[in-house]
Amino acid sequence: MEKIRFAPVIRVSTERQERKGESLRTQTSQINQYVESLGGIIPENCWKYSGQEHATPDQERVKLDKLLNDSDKNLFDAVITCDATRWSRDNKKNKHGLEIL
């Protein structure tokens, strides 16, 4: 049986949080535990969707847009995040992303 390939969405909103905060490390640890418990893997090229990026309405989401654009390239089977706020706080963008996936 092939393992499910997960693309993690691990995100903080500010550059300061990215530089000095613990959130990215905490989220990464949690995601690794979730993926392991599900018997899946995270391909090395799927870490590029994580990092600092705002999730509020009308903010540019380069990493999320890249993930959505890559979703039909057979790079991953599923997306995983610690909680829904890491995905998006923009209802319109959230709905659009879910429709693509």
Side-chain angles (χ1 to χ4, degrees):
M1 176 188 239
E2 286 194 38
K3 294 183 176 204
I4 297 172
R5 299 169 298 158
F6 288 94
V9 175
I10 300 168
R11 185 191 62 72
V12 292
S13 296
T14 69
E15 291 175 9
R16 183 170 187 254
Q17 289 172 315
E18 183 177 38
R19 285 190 317 269
K20 297 187 177 188
E22 291 293 319
S23 185
L24 287 178
R25 284 186 289 278
T26 300
Q27 290 177 63
T28 300
S29 176
Q30 289 174 341
I31 292 291
N32 281 324
Q33 289 174 15
Y34 299 155
V35 169
E36 184 179 338
S37 72
L38 294 168
I41 61 168
I42 299 174
E44 196 60 39
N45 65 338
C46 288
W47 289 104
K48 64 187 168 197
Y49 311 118
S50 298
Q52 184 272 322
E53 190 166 68
H54 292 281
T56 52
D58 301 321
Q59 293 288 323
E60 184 177 38
R61 293 288 308 273
V62 174
K63 293 176 187 304
L64 179 60
D65 290 342
K66 177 73 173 149
L67 179 141
L68 295 173
N69 288 333
D70 286 352
S71 66
D72 65 350
K73 296 179 180 175
N74 196 30
L75 301 174
F76 54 87
D77 305 308
V79 175
I80 191 166
T81 186
C82 290
D83 65 68
T85 63
R86 302 299 89 197
W87 173 258
S88 180
R89 294 181 184 185
D90 180 339
N91 289 337
K92 183 178 165 187
K93 182 91 172 176
N94 186 26
K95 183 177 180 182
H96 176 70
L98 293 175
E99 287 171 353
I100 289 172
L101 295 175

